[in-house]
Each structure stands twice: as structure tokens, then as C-alpha cells.
């Protein structure tokens, strides 16, 4: 078993019982409580030149639901999640948020919507010339025009929650990878998003730093934060997912409740994928 797998499993065992396990219950509860989806995607298509990378993608995300996107590299997961925040233009289809269609390739419409959709990348994307506090304050004060005192009060609570209060006046270069990623998540949460998007946020971390980020995401799941997560951490996905969507070659091959996907995938391709992601057995 790899060091990465050991640390991921340790993180999940440490927080066992804190996150809702991916079963039909999570999705059903969300659907019963909130009949209308928070996010709806219909017949989305995305191409780079003549190469179609997303092919007729349709799905809904209910309030409080955690949707995990899995699949081999190059399947379109990261492209899809970037389309959901307007970071990639789409050639066809419709994206609706809270029942309202987003003008497909209108940067003005997407700028407004990004104040309600938080996104965290694998590369942190903190401003290196700004302190942690300034990184967090910038969006709420400059974009949302909120009072600095209100933002600072929220920031202090969030930093305490992730045990990074002592780094408020530090600069990104003074932080570890795991600390930078937690600050990036705090920065997104400070905008009070209704939906959080995570794109392989542990991919660039050293194995020992993966744990602290996964623990934070598990706590967000417990609090019923609506999330769409791209990840290759299968044990984490098993614990956190209400719904799993398995992508390959730009197509959703499977969409199942999390527990069902991992116990009984419907396609041979998904079975082979899960087998390939299993820890290497000792000889």
C-alpha cells in the first residue's frame, strides 16, 4: 500500500462518522427536502477545435448533495467542472443555477454567478504578494462590496476552524502545500458560496499533506455544503459521495448513489477502473 493511501485512510478513519456515507439516503433526502435542483446541466457539449471533449452531458445537483466525478485521466472531468464556473466556453447546451439559465458564453453573467460558486484548484492560486488575510479579504470586499469588519470576523472564524489562525499575516511562500490549499478553501468559503467546486485539490500535495485537506472537505460534507468534487482518492470518494458520476471519453458512463457505485458498478469499464485504483496487494 502506498504512503498516499495510508494517509488518506488515516484521515478517513480519524473523521469516521463525521461525513455522510455515500448511499441512496443522501440524494433522496436532498431531493425530498428541496424539489428543485441547485444546478442543472442539459446537453452540454465542449470542443477544442474539432476534438469534442464533452458529449451531451446532462445531470442535476440538489442542495446539500455531494457529487463526485471519477474516471481516467483525459475523460473530461476537469474540463466539465471548469465549464460549471464559466472558465471554459461551451459550444452547446444549457447550465441553470437555482432555476435560472446562465447566458452561455456571457462573461458578465459568469462574473456575477462566480460570487455564488466557489472553486478550488489543485494549484492553490493564492496571490503571492498578498498576506493570507489579504488573499481572503479581497473577494468579499472588492467583488461583493461587503464591510471589511464583517469579512474579518468571518475570516477569523474560518481560520480558527482550519487551525490556521496564527498564519493570518503570513505570505503563501511561508506555508506548506497543505496549508496553502486549506487557505484556498477558506478564501472560497469567505464568499459564502452556495456551491463549491473542487478540482483534484490534493493532486499536487505531498502524501502527508493530503490528510489535512481531506479532513476539511469531510467536515464540509457533514455540514451539507453542496459540492462537486473531482478526485482520484477513491476511499475519500466512497465516504463523501452522495452521487458518483463516472466519466470516460467525455461521456457519463454511470451515475449512481455513491455506495452503489463502489459496491456494484454497472459497467465493465467502471469495474476495471475501480480495480486499477485499488492498493497494490502484497506478494
Amino acid at each position: 500500500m502506498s504512503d498516499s493511501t495510508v494517509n488518506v485512510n488515516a484521515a478517513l478513519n480519524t473523521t469516521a462518522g463525521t461525513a455522510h456515507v455515500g448511499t441512496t439516503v443522501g440524494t433522496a433526502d436532498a431531493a425530498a427536502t428541496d424539489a428543485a435542483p441547485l444546478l442543472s446541466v442539459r446537453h452540454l457539449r465542449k470542443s477544442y477545435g474539432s476534438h469534442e471533449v464533452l458529449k451531451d452531458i446532462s445531470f442535476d445537483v440538489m442542495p446539500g448533495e455531494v457529487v463526485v466525478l471519477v474516471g481516467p485521466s483525459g475523460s473530461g472531468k476537469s474540463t466539465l467542472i471548469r465549464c460549471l464556473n464559466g472558465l471554459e466556453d461551451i459550444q452547446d447546451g444549457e447550465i441553470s443555477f437555482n432555476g435560472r439559465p446562465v447566458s452561455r458564453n456571457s462573461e458578465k453573467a459568469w462574473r456575477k454567478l462566480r460570487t455564488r460558486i466557489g472553486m478550488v484548484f489543485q494549484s492553490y492560486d493564492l496571490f503571492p504578494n498578498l498576506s493570507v488575510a489579504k488573499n481572503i479579504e479581497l473577494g468579499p470586499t472588492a467583488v461583493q462590496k461587503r464591510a471589511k469588519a464583517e469579512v474579518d470576523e468571518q475570516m477569523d472564524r474560518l481560520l480558527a476552524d482550519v487551525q490556521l489562525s496564527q498564519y493570518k499575516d503570513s505570505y503563501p511562500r511561508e506555508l506548506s502545500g497543505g496549508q496553502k490549499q486549506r487557505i484556498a478553501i477558506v478564501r472560497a468559503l469567505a464568499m459564502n458560496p452556495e456551491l463549491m467546486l473542487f478540482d483534484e485539490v490534493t493532486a499536487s500535495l505531498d502524501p502527508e499533506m493530503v490528510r489535512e485537506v481531506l479532513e476539511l472537505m469531510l467536515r464540509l460534507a457533514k455540514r451539507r455544503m453542496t459540492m462537486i468534487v473531482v478526485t482520484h482518492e477513491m476511499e475519500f470518494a466512497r465516504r463523501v459521495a452522495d452521487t458518483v458520476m463516472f466519466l470516460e471519453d467525455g461521456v457519463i458512463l454511470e451515475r449512481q448513489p455513491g455506495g452503489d457505485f463502489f459496491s456494484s458498478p454497472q459497467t465493465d469499464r467502471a469495474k476495471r477502473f475501480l480495480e486499477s485504483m485499488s492498493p497494490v496487494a502484497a506478494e
Side-chain angles (χ1 to χ4, degrees):
M1 186 179 295
S2 68
D3 290 341
S4 178
T5 302
V6 169
N7 280 281
V8 171
N9 287 334
L12 296 171
N13 289 333
T14 300
T15 54
T18 63
H20 53 292
V21 178
T23 65
T24 54
V25 174
T27 306
D29 286 350
T33 304
D34 301 278
L38 178 64
L39 178 75
S40 291
V41 178
R42 293 292 179 269
H43 308 297
L44 185 149
R45 295 181 182 275
K46 167 66 182 176
S47 298
Y48 295 114
S50 61
H51 177 51
E52 191 174 32
V53 293
L54 295 174
K55 307 168 184 176
D56 198 22
I57 299 289
S58 295
F59 64 95
D60 292 330
V61 179
M62 306 305 293
E65 184 179 13
V66 178
V67 176
V68 176
L69 308 182
V70 301
S73 297
S75 60
K77 304 183 301 297
S78 290
T79 299
L80 174 56
I81 207 169
R82 288 174 63 85
C83 288
L84 301 180
N85 208 20
L87 299 177
E88 296 281 355
D89 292 340
I90 62 175
Q91 279 64 56
D92 199 6
E94 182 177 88
I95 298 172
S96 297
F97 192 80
N98 256 342
R100 296 185 176 182
V102 184
S103 184
R104 195 163 71 208
N105 293 321
S106 167
E107 181 56 29
K108 180 179 179 181
W110 279 113
R111 279 199 304 268
K112 183 177 181 180
L113 190 54
R114 287 189 198 113
T115 66
R116 303 167 67 188
I117 300 177
M119 184 162 183
V120 183
F121 306 87
Q122 59 178 274
S123 55
Y124 325 131
D125 289 338
L126 299 175
F127 295 107
N129 59 321
L130 299 181
S131 68
V132 164
K134 294 297 184 184
N135 264 281
I136 296 169
E137 291 169 344
L138 186 60
T141 57
V143 178
Q144 295 180 328
K145 308 300 182 184
R146 290 161 54 198
K148 184 176 181 296
E150 173 202 334
V151 173
D152 285 349
E153 182 181 352
Q154 181 185 21
M155 174 178 63
D156 288 343
R157 291 198 306 269
L158 290 169
L159 287 174
D161 190 42
V162 300
Q163 300 179 335
L164 291 176
S165 297
Q166 67 271 36
Y167 296 103
K168 184 167 69 172
D169 297 321
S170 301
Y171 285 81
R173 65 179 177 275
E174 301 171 309
L175 306 178
S176 70
Q179 290 168 339
K180 290 177 187 176
Q181 197 59 287
R182 282 185 286 162
I183 293 299
I185 295 173
V186 166
R187 180 177 62 177
L189 292 174
M191 298 286 285
N192 296 321
E194 296 168 60
L195 170 66
M196 282 289 290
L197 309 176
F198 295 93
D199 186 14
E200 290 283 10
V201 295
T202 61
S204 60
L205 298 180
D206 292 336
E208 69 237 30
M209 297 176 182
V210 170
R211 170 178 177 155
E212 56 199 28
V213 175
L214 294 185
E215 286 178 337
L216 173 54
M217 293 173 68
L218 283 164
R219 291 203 301 275
L220 293 177
K222 180 190 175 185
R223 296 167 190 170
R224 305 308 300 178
M225 168 66 74
T226 310
M227 298 158 55
I228 302 177
V229 182
V230 175
T231 186
H232 280 106
E233 302 284 2
M234 289 300 103
E235 188 58 30
F236 169 71
R238 183 193 301 269
R239 293 294 184 91
V240 79
D242 291 312
T243 302
V244 172
M245 296 197 308
F246 177 72
L247 278 72
E248 185 174 54
D249 194 27
V251 175
I252 301 175
L253 291 185
E254 288 197 33
R255 176 183 168 91
Q256 283 210 75
D260 292 349
F261 175 79
F262 288 102
S263 64
S264 54
Q266 296 174 337
T267 64
D268 289 339
R269 181 64 188 95
K271 291 176 185 177
R272 294 197 304 273
F273 173 78
L274 289 174
E275 289 171 358
S276 74
M277 299 298 288
S278 299
V280 177
E283 294 183 358

